[in-house]
Amino acid sequence: MTNEEVKLLFHQSLQPLGFKRKGNKWIMAGQELNKGVYLQKSGYSNSYYINYGFNFRELGFKPGVFQFTLRCTHTLDLEYNTDDVLRQKIAEAPR
């Protein structure tokens, strides 16, 4: 799977949920809470870290700048054939 295919797959999954893409970030601005998912390219291998974050709108942070961030424990390694595994995980994710 290429870098662009991963980004396209994330975009196709997050856009129907109300997230808007800005580069490697997908942001949803809610009435009280801004939420985001972003892909961070590893400097050591052909893989991505999946980060997510949020902040409370009343604190005045710009959309895309998060007060709280977390990282998924698994990286998305493009060296391996992750096509079927990734698609399955995204399909099973709660909506």
Side-chain angles (χ1 to χ4, degrees), residues 1 9 13 82-95:
M1 182 174 275
L9 189 57
S13 299
T82 58
D83 296 351
D84 295 334
V85 173
L86 178 60
R87 285 188 179 90
Q88 185 66 30
K89 287 185 185 237
I90 290 173
E92 293 172 354
R95 306 238 179 225

Side-chain angles (χ1 to χ4, degrees), residues 36-83:
V37 176
Y38 56 103
L39 297 175
Q40 179 184 356
K41 183 78 170 83
S42 170
Y44 299 102
S45 65
N46 193 19
S47 61
Y48 281 93
Y49 298 103
I50 303 169
N51 301 298
Y52 52 98
F54 64 92
N55 64 37
F56 296 97
R57 290 191 65 145
E58 66 183 44
L59 296 178
F61 285 86
K62 294 179 184 177
V65 177
F66 302 108
Q67 182 181 17
F68 301 100
T69 58
L70 303 162
R71 177 177 285 170
C72 293
T73 56
H74 299 286
T75 60
L76 185 58
D77 192 341
L78 303 184
E79 294 293 323
Y80 298 97
N81 186 0
T82 58
D83 296 351

